[in-house]
PDB file of all heavy atoms in Angstrom:
ATOM      1  N   LEU A 135     128.810  91.799 144.158  1.00  0.00           N
ATOM      2  CA  LEU A 135     128.261  93.127 143.955  1.00  0.00           C
ATOM      3  C   LEU A 135     128.880  94.172 144.923  1.00  0.00           C
ATOM      4  O   LEU A 135     129.172  93.851 146.045  1.00  0.00           O
ATOM      5  CB  LEU A 135     126.737  93.188 144.079  1.00  0.00           C
ATOM      6  CG  LEU A 135     126.036  92.134 143.283  1.00  0.00           C
ATOM      7  CD1 LEU A 135     124.551  92.313 143.542  1.00  0.00           C
ATOM      8  CD2 LEU A 135     126.379  92.265 141.806  1.00  0.00           C
ATOM      9  N   ASP A 136     129.016  95.340 144.442  1.00  0.00           N
ATOM     10  CA  ASP A 136     129.321  96.502 145.249  1.00  0.00           C
ATOM     11  C   ASP A 136     128.068  96.743 146.047  1.00  0.00           C
ATOM     12  O   ASP A 136     126.999  97.059 145.566  1.00  0.00           O
ATOM     13  CB  ASP A 136     129.695  97.708 144.337  1.00  0.00           C
ATOM     14  CG  ASP A 136     130.072  98.854 145.216  1.00  0.00           C
ATOM     15  OD1 ASP A 136     129.695  98.920 146.409  1.00  0.00           O
ATOM     16  OD2 ASP A 136     130.726  99.771 144.708  1.00  0.00           O
ATOM     17  N   GLU A 137     128.272  96.709 147.381  1.00  0.00           N
ATOM     18  CA  GLU A 137     127.109  96.924 148.240  1.00  0.00           C
ATOM     19  C   GLU A 137     126.406  98.210 147.942  1.00  0.00           C
ATOM     20  O   GLU A 137     125.139  98.262 148.025  1.00  0.00           O
ATOM     21  CB  GLU A 137     127.596  96.824 149.743  1.00  0.00           C
ATOM     22  CG  GLU A 137     126.375  96.498 150.640  1.00  0.00           C
ATOM     23  CD  GLU A 137     125.700  95.204 150.372  1.00  0.00           C
ATOM     24  OE1 GLU A 137     126.428  94.308 149.958  1.00  0.00           O
ATOM     25  OE2 GLU A 137     124.502  95.125 150.554  1.00  0.00           O
ATOM     26  N   SER A 138     127.242  99.227 147.691  1.00  0.00           N
ATOM     27  CA  SER A 138     126.614 100.558 147.517  1.00  0.00           C
ATOM     28  C   SER A 138     125.653 100.617 146.263  1.00  0.00           C
ATOM     29  O   SER A 138     124.738 101.350 146.222  1.00  0.00           O
ATOM     30  CB  SER A 138     127.686 101.638 147.396  1.00  0.00           C
ATOM     31  OG  SER A 138     128.440 101.377 146.177  1.00  0.00           O
ATOM     32  N   GLN A 139     126.067  99.749 145.325  1.00  0.00           N
ATOM     33  CA  GLN A 139     125.252  99.659 144.155  1.00  0.00           C
ATOM     34  C   GLN A 139     123.899  99.132 144.438  1.00  0.00           C
ATOM     35  O   GLN A 139     122.849  99.634 143.954  1.00  0.00           O
ATOM     36  CB  GLN A 139     125.929  98.913 143.038  1.00  0.00           C
ATOM     37  CG  GLN A 139     127.186  99.601 142.492  1.00  0.00           C
ATOM     38  CD  GLN A 139     127.868  98.644 141.450  1.00  0.00           C
ATOM     39  OE1 GLN A 139     128.327  97.640 141.799  1.00  0.00           O
ATOM     40  NE2 GLN A 139     128.046  99.167 140.247  1.00  0.00           N
ATOM     41  N   LEU A 140     123.902  98.111 145.262  1.00  0.00           N
ATOM     42  CA  LEU A 140     122.600  97.502 145.623  1.00  0.00           C
ATOM     43  C   LEU A 140     121.784  98.406 146.463  1.00  0.00           C
ATOM     44  O   LEU A 140     120.620  98.457 146.462  1.00  0.00           O
ATOM     45  CB  LEU A 140     122.872  96.167 146.376  1.00  0.00           C
ATOM     46  CG  LEU A 140     123.486  95.083 145.458  1.00  0.00           C
ATOM     47  CD1 LEU A 140     123.599  93.852 146.242  1.00  0.00           C
ATOM     48  CD2 LEU A 140     122.415  94.811 144.279  1.00  0.00           C
ATOM     49  N   VAL A 141     122.447  99.163 147.343  1.00  0.00           N
ATOM     50  CA  VAL A 141     121.780 100.104 148.162  1.00  0.00           C
ATOM     51  C   VAL A 141     121.101 101.164 147.263  1.00  0.00           C
ATOM     52  O   VAL A 141     119.966 101.530 147.418  1.00  0.00           O
ATOM     53  CB  VAL A 141     122.751 100.844 149.161  1.00  0.00           C
ATOM     54  CG1 VAL A 141     122.073 101.993 149.779  1.00  0.00           C
ATOM     55  CG2 VAL A 141     123.198  99.812 150.212  1.00  0.00           C
ATOM     56  N   ASP A 142     121.864 101.521 146.209  1.00  0.00           N
ATOM     57  CA  ASP A 142     121.265 102.540 145.283  1.00  0.00           C
ATOM     58  C   ASP A 142     120.087 101.998 144.618  1.00  0.00           C
ATOM     59  O   ASP A 142     119.037 102.609 144.427  1.00  0.00           O
ATOM     60  CB  ASP A 142     122.327 102.961 144.207  1.00  0.00           C
ATOM     61  CG  ASP A 142     123.413 103.795 144.810  1.00  0.00           C
ATOM     62  OD1 ASP A 142     123.197 104.325 145.935  1.00  0.00           O
ATOM     63  OD2 ASP A 142     124.450 103.994 144.201  1.00  0.00           O
ATOM     64  N   ALA A 143     120.244 100.710 144.183  1.00  0.00           N
ATOM     65  CA  ALA A 143     119.139 100.073 143.422  1.00  0.00           C
ATOM     66  C   ALA A 143     117.938  99.932 144.352  1.00  0.00           C
ATOM     67  O   ALA A 143     116.832 100.180 143.990  1.00  0.00           O
ATOM     68  CB  ALA A 143     119.574  98.693 143.007  1.00  0.00           C
ATOM     69  N   ALA A 144     118.226  99.605 145.624  1.00  0.00           N
ATOM     70  CA  ALA A 144     117.060  99.518 146.571  1.00  0.00           C
ATOM     71  C   ALA A 144     116.419 100.943 146.710  1.00  0.00           C
ATOM     72  O   ALA A 144     115.123 100.953 146.769  1.00  0.00           O
ATOM     73  CB  ALA A 144     117.572  98.977 147.949  1.00  0.00           C
ATOM     74  N   ALA A 145     117.214 101.993 146.779  1.00  0.00           N
ATOM     75  CA  ALA A 145     116.712 103.239 146.966  1.00  0.00           C
ATOM     76  C   ALA A 145     115.768 103.575 145.711  1.00  0.00           C
ATOM     77  O   ALA A 145     114.713 104.252 145.911  1.00  0.00           O
ATOM     78  CB  ALA A 145     117.793 104.265 147.120  1.00  0.00           C
ATOM     79  N   GLU A 146     116.239 103.164 144.582  1.00  0.00           N
ATOM     80  CA  GLU A 146     115.462 103.498 143.441  1.00  0.00           C
ATOM     81  C   GLU A 146     114.156 102.683 143.405  1.00  0.00           C
ATOM     82  O   GLU A 146     113.092 103.099 142.980  1.00  0.00           O
ATOM     83  CB  GLU A 146     116.168 103.216 142.111  1.00  0.00           C
ATOM     84  CG  GLU A 146     115.585 103.654 140.872  1.00  0.00           C
ATOM     85  CD  GLU A 146     116.514 103.699 139.722  1.00  0.00           C
ATOM     86  OE1 GLU A 146     117.746 103.657 139.975  1.00  0.00           O
ATOM     87  OE2 GLU A 146     116.091 103.761 138.637  1.00  0.00           O
ATOM     88  N   ASP A 147     114.227 101.464 143.956  1.00  0.00           N
ATOM     89  CA  ASP A 147     113.019 100.699 144.043  1.00  0.00           C
ATOM     90  C   ASP A 147     112.032 101.452 144.865  1.00  0.00           C
ATOM     91  O   ASP A 147     110.795 101.551 144.580  1.00  0.00           O
ATOM     92  CB  ASP A 147     113.338  99.420 144.803  1.00  0.00           C
ATOM     93  CG  ASP A 147     113.624  98.285 143.755  1.00  0.00           C
ATOM     94  OD1 ASP A 147     113.341  98.573 142.559  1.00  0.00           O
ATOM     95  OD2 ASP A 147     114.108  97.303 144.194  1.00  0.00           O
ATOM     96  N   ALA A 148     112.525 101.960 145.977  1.00  0.00           N
ATOM     97  CA  ALA A 148     111.594 102.705 146.875  1.00  0.00           C
ATOM     98  C   ALA A 148     111.073 104.017 146.308  1.00  0.00           C
ATOM     99  O   ALA A 148     109.958 104.445 146.534  1.00  0.00           O
ATOM    100  CB  ALA A 148     112.325 102.984 148.261  1.00  0.00           C
ATOM    101  N   GLU A 149     111.916 104.675 145.590  1.00  0.00           N
ATOM    102  CA  GLU A 149     111.568 105.953 145.062  1.00  0.00           C
ATOM    103  C   GLU A 149     112.041 106.049 143.532  1.00  0.00           C
ATOM    104  O   GLU A 149     113.102 106.625 143.259  1.00  0.00           O
ATOM    105  CB  GLU A 149     112.209 107.055 145.868  1.00  0.00           C
ATOM    106  CG  GLU A 149     111.644 108.396 145.575  1.00  0.00           C
ATOM    107  CD  GLU A 149     112.158 109.449 146.552  1.00  0.00           C
ATOM    108  OE1 GLU A 149     113.027 109.094 147.388  1.00  0.00           O
ATOM    109  OE2 GLU A 149     111.786 110.665 146.367  1.00  0.00           O
TER     110      GLU A 149
END
Side-chain angles (χ1 to χ4, degrees):
Chain A
L135 308 182
D136 180 342
E137 198 61 34
S138 65
Q139 290 175 301
L140 291 179
V141 169
D142 288 347
E146 189 166 343
D147 268 347
E149 193 176 0

